[in-house]
Amino acid sequence: MRKVEYAPLVRTKMKQLKKWLTEHFDEKVAKKVLKGMVSDADKLGLDPEIGTCIAETYDIETEYRYLFSCQHYLIYRIERRLPDEYRGRVS
């Protein structure tokens, strides 16, 4: 399973979204939406290609993908890292 890493901007945006949802709905709705989004993001660790490839959909050159979650888009990219045991090996 891959590790899902959040950019600092994502953390800020999630806090802003929680605040907005709480103000316009209530804290219960805010927690439910954020929990769903985090749950969907965690699924990317198991299968990072479940999201839609933006390059294929819109015929543009980009490595980013998106996943629609709780009426919001999660934009991400897959880092092609080698497992630790293969780093630094010369064949």
Side-chain angles (χ1 to χ4, degrees), residues 5-88:
E5 296 179 19
Y6 295 89
L9 178 62
V10 172
R11 295 179 193 282
T12 301
K13 293 292 187 180
M14 295 286 271
K15 288 177 185 176
Q16 291 172 347
L17 178 60
K18 182 178 181 182
K19 181 180 176 186
W20 187 89
L21 289 168
T22 301
E23 290 172 359
H24 288 82
F25 299 98
D26 60 33
E27 190 172 348
K28 184 178 177 181
V29 169
K31 285 182 178 182
K32 181 179 177 182
V33 169
L34 292 175
K35 183 178 179 180
M37 291 174 69
V38 169
S39 176
D40 287 344
D42 287 345
K43 292 174 187 173
L44 295 171
L46 297 171
D47 185 3
E49 296 191 7
I50 60 173
T52 302
C53 177
I54 293 172
E56 292 174 6
T57 303
Y58 297 102
D59 196 30
I60 58 173
E61 191 170 326
T62 183
E63 60 186 17
Y64 286 90
R65 306 176 75 85
Y66 70 86
L67 181 65
F68 192 68
S69 172
C70 301
Q71 298 185 359
H72 296 275
Y73 289 97
L74 307 178
I75 309 295
Y76 69 98
R77 66 186 169 92
I78 303 168
E79 289 192 8
R80 305 284 182 198
R81 293 187 194 167
L82 291 174
D84 288 338
E85 63 267 18
Y86 294 107
R87 289 186 191 168

